[in-house]
Amino acid sequence: MLRRTKIVATLGPATESEEQLTKLIEAGVNVVRLNFSHGDADDHRLRAERIRSIAASVGRSVAILGDLQGPKIRIGRFQNGKVHLPDGAEFILDAELPIDAGDENQVGLAYKNLPNDCKVGDVLLLDDGRLSLQVKAIDGSRITTTTLDGGELSNNKGINLAGGGLSADALTEKDKEDIKLAASIGVDYLAVSFVRCAADLDLARKLMKEAGGNAAVLSKIERAEVVKDHALLEEVIKASDAVMVARGDLGVEIGDAELIGVQKHMISEARRLNRPVVTATQMMESMIENTQPTRAEVFDVANAVLDGTDAVMLSGETATGKRPHEVVRAMGRICEGAEKNEKLIARSELDRTYAGETDAAIALSAMLAANTLEGVKAIVCLTKTGATPLWMSRKNTNLPIYAMTRYPATERRVALYRGVESVAFDSGSTYGSEVNERAIGELKERGLLTAGDKIILTKGESREVEGGTNTMQVLVVK
């Protein structure tokens, strides 16, 4: 059975060697994530080179996702490394305190604008929400708080404002330098952290192009204010080439109880607006140490698949875990198990505005024919940019969608699209029925089609035209 849901794996110390990277790709990874929060330029460049080389050697198209760190909204450091905050204790966050002078009464701030971003009565969440502090008073650089939920607090832990609203820019100076690095590496996707609005994505895309790159821009949705405003969320999704349900910081800001509904809504909106969507954070976290996922993790991954996500993502499981390739195999099995329940997978339609484009209309017509004609075995799409197979992937089907292209960048781009498999194919100067025969011949040689199979084939009558798909044919393999 062809696994339709794609798997994104984060690289790190556990996947440093060529042997581990080979196992990861052979296990079924479709996209690798370079986390620019860790490692230096040489580390990321070496990993990217190895991925490209290994993928080529095993005949796979694997996309590279460069993930920007975003603003560091963190406390400073403690003189003794950590402190314990009891419930009800007073604790001070001071933007002017030396960054490494923290003690049991106070700590400095890496994010100096926090006193201006919060007000009396706000709740600050530290260390992924493990500790909570209520703002009691603000005096210049000093925020006096009362500890609501205490515990151990150590160096450099993150800060979230319950309900969102921190003003930090999405792109820091470090991110702008990392965009240049991402362009030089040739990443296929650039992930922007803590997106606030469409302008953040427009700036990232502009900087990427200025640096000579052509990566698709992926927005990580992790601010409460974005998901609370439906118009703003739609604006952000439309400005993105892909989106991520980044459940870590998002869950801290909006609360766990709200997260599942928001996840389902975001996946549905991304599919409606024709954008690939990745579901991320703690999906198989117990497998950093353990050999089997928990039942809750199995249901979490399966639920995202049934929601219609294009991809599910692994973070620490493959970056620092004990058995990275085994986690990928386990996640693949869960995806395939969920995909067997085709009738349960969320149905969604494209926004009606897209129906006015010829290639979109051809894509939707092809999917209707594929799902209603008896005996169809595959959908074959000759494509330049990957736009037509993306539209196809928004419609549910249990049939494979083969995106045939001469462009390696397009091969890697479609690696994120649900149910789409790329096939390297150069049509040369052939047209009409001759190009059909050559494309079908290529698929036969790969063992993907056999004589007698019925297929749906889409293409453009004019070659090398973006958005030029204008033909759909029903063919029988000779």
Side-chain angles (χ1 to χ4, degrees):
M1 176 181 175
L2 173 70
R3 170 168 53 81
R4 307 189 65 77
T5 309
K6 304 305 180 71
I7 295 177
V8 183
T10 302
L11 302 187
T15 42
E16 198 75 62
S17 70
E18 192 163 340
E19 178 186 4
Q20 285 292 347
L21 288 173
T22 300
K23 288 182 178 179
L24 206 65
I25 292 174
E26 290 177 341
V29 163
N30 305 102
V31 181
V32 297
R33 171 178 173 246
L34 304 179
N35 186 356
F36 291 147
S37 297
H38 305 286
D40 58 27
D42 289 340
D43 293 333
H44 298 308
R45 191 170 283 109
L46 179 59
R47 286 168 181 159
E49 289 172 356
R50 284 177 171 170
I51 286 294
R52 293 274 192 253
S53 174
I54 295 167
S57 69
V58 298
R60 293 274 314 283
S61 291
V62 177
I64 296 177
L65 166 68
D67 194 340
L68 301 176
Q69 177 177 278
K72 294 179 69 173
I73 305 174
R74 301 180 184 278
I75 62 170
R77 298 184 295 275
F78 295 96
Q79 297 172 28
N80 296 321
K82 61 184 177 181
V83 298
H84 180 79
L85 300 185
D87 292 356
E90 182 176 281
F91 190 70
I92 294 172
L93 306 172
D94 190 345
E96 292 186 358
L97 189 73
I99 201 67
D100 56 358
D103 57 30
E104 63 275 5
N105 299 311
Q106 60 185 347
V107 71
L109 292 169
Y111 179 58
K112 303 300 183 183
N113 206 41
L114 186 63
N116 299 319
D117 278 357
C118 60
K119 62 184 184 299
V120 173
D122 281 349
V123 174
L124 299 173
L125 303 163
L126 279 64
D127 192 11
D128 290 333
R130 293 180 177 87
L131 292 86
S132 60
L133 313 175
Q134 186 164 41
V135 177
K136 184 178 175 182
I138 302 173
D139 182 13
S141 68
R142 291 165 60 89
I143 305 170
T144 302
T145 71
T146 301
T147 304
L148 300 179
D149 296 299
E152 185 177 277
L153 182 62
S154 57
N155 295 339
N156 303 315
K157 294 303 180 184
I159 306 170
N160 294 88
L161 175 61
L166 296 180
S167 64
D169 291 340
L171 293 176
T172 66
E173 291 306 312
K174 176 184 178 346
D175 294 331
K176 292 173 183 178
E177 289 302 310
D178 283 339
I179 289 175
K180 296 176 184 177
L181 170 63
S184 70
I185 288 173
V187 302
D188 302 290
Y189 289 92
L190 178 75
V192 181
S193 300
F194 297 100
V195 171
R196 301 168 305 168
C197 58
D200 292 333
L201 302 164
D202 295 338
L203 176 58
R205 189 176 286 108
K206 175 176 176 287
L207 294 174
M208 171 59 69
K209 289 182 178 178
E210 288 176 352
N214 194 36
V217 176
L218 180 150
S219 59
K220 294 171 66 178
I221 311 296
E222 45 197 336
R223 290 190 188 241
E225 54 267 37
V226 174
V227 299
K228 286 180 178 177
D229 185 333
H230 291 295
L232 177 58
L233 177 61
E234 181 170 324
E235 172 191 309
V236 167
I237 293 174
K238 284 183 174 180
S240 311
D241 297 304
V243 299
M244 180 186 293
V245 187
R247 304 183 306 179
D249 284 284
L250 180 61
V252 172
E253 291 201 359
I254 67 174
D256 293 339
E258 300 294 324
L259 189 57
I260 185 62
V262 168
Q263 172 178 311
K264 289 177 179 292
H265 176 67
M266 283 180 56
I267 292 173
S268 175
E269 283 295 278
R271 286 174 61 81
R272 180 178 70 84
L273 296 169
N274 196 38
R275 301 297 189 272
V277 55
V278 181
T279 305
T281 314
Q282 295 181 332
M283 302 211 79
M284 307 274 279
E285 184 145 326
S286 72
M287 287 194 74
I288 292 175
E289 296 288 339
N290 301 332
T291 59
Q292 296 292 329
T294 66
R295 292 293 178 265
E297 289 167 341
V298 171
F299 273 75
D300 183 31
V301 174
N303 189 55
V305 173
L306 296 176
D307 285 343
T309 193
D310 286 84
V312 284
M313 192 175 94
L314 297 165
S315 299
E317 301 95 330
T318 51
T320 60
K322 291 182 177 179
R323 307 166 187 84
H325 66 286
E326 293 181 16
V327 181
V328 173
R329 292 190 190 282
M331 179 172 265
R333 290 193 297 270
I334 296 167
C335 292
E336 289 175 9
E339 289 164 2
K340 291 178 181 177
N341 299 287
E342 184 191 356
K343 291 182 180 178
L344 298 179
I345 295 175
R347 301 276 170 179
S348 62
E349 302 296 331
L350 292 177
D351 189 307
R352 289 183 181 275
T353 57
Y354 287 101
E357 300 180 31
T358 301
D359 50 354
I362 292 294
L364 296 178
S365 298
M367 298 310 292
L368 177 62
N371 287 335
T372 55
L373 274 176
E374 186 176 349
V376 174
K377 299 296 184 183
I379 302 110
V380 179
C381 178
L382 276 57
T383 182
K384 179 180 180 181
T385 65
T388 303
L390 173 58
W391 274 308
M392 290 175 171
S393 69
R394 303 305 87 188
K395 301 289 289 184
N396 290 346
T397 182
N398 59 4
L399 298 172
I401 301 169
Y402 296 120
M404 305 190 72
T405 182
R406 72 174 74 191
Y407 300 100
T410 300
E411 283 189 71
R412 296 192 298 268
R413 181 75 62 89
V414 304
L416 188 62
Y417 303 170
R418 184 179 179 119
V420 177
E421 296 294 319
S422 66
V423 177
F425 175 69
D426 189 346
S427 60
S429 59
T430 55
Y431 291 88
S433 61
E434 185 179 348
V435 75
N436 295 354
E437 291 172 6
R438 289 190 56 225
I440 291 170
E442 178 68 32
L443 295 172
K444 286 176 67 178
E445 284 184 19
R446 293 171 179 249
L448 301 175
L449 293 177
T450 59
D453 285 348
K454 184 186 293 184
I455 66 166
I456 306 293
L457 184 143
T458 65
K459 63 181 182 180
E461 290 183 331
S462 299
R463 300 172 66 250
E464 301 303 312
V465 176
E466 292 187 16
T469 298
N470 61 1
T471 302
M472 181 192 81
Q473 294 174 281
V474 181
L475 304 171
V476 176
V477 178
K478 295 180 181 179

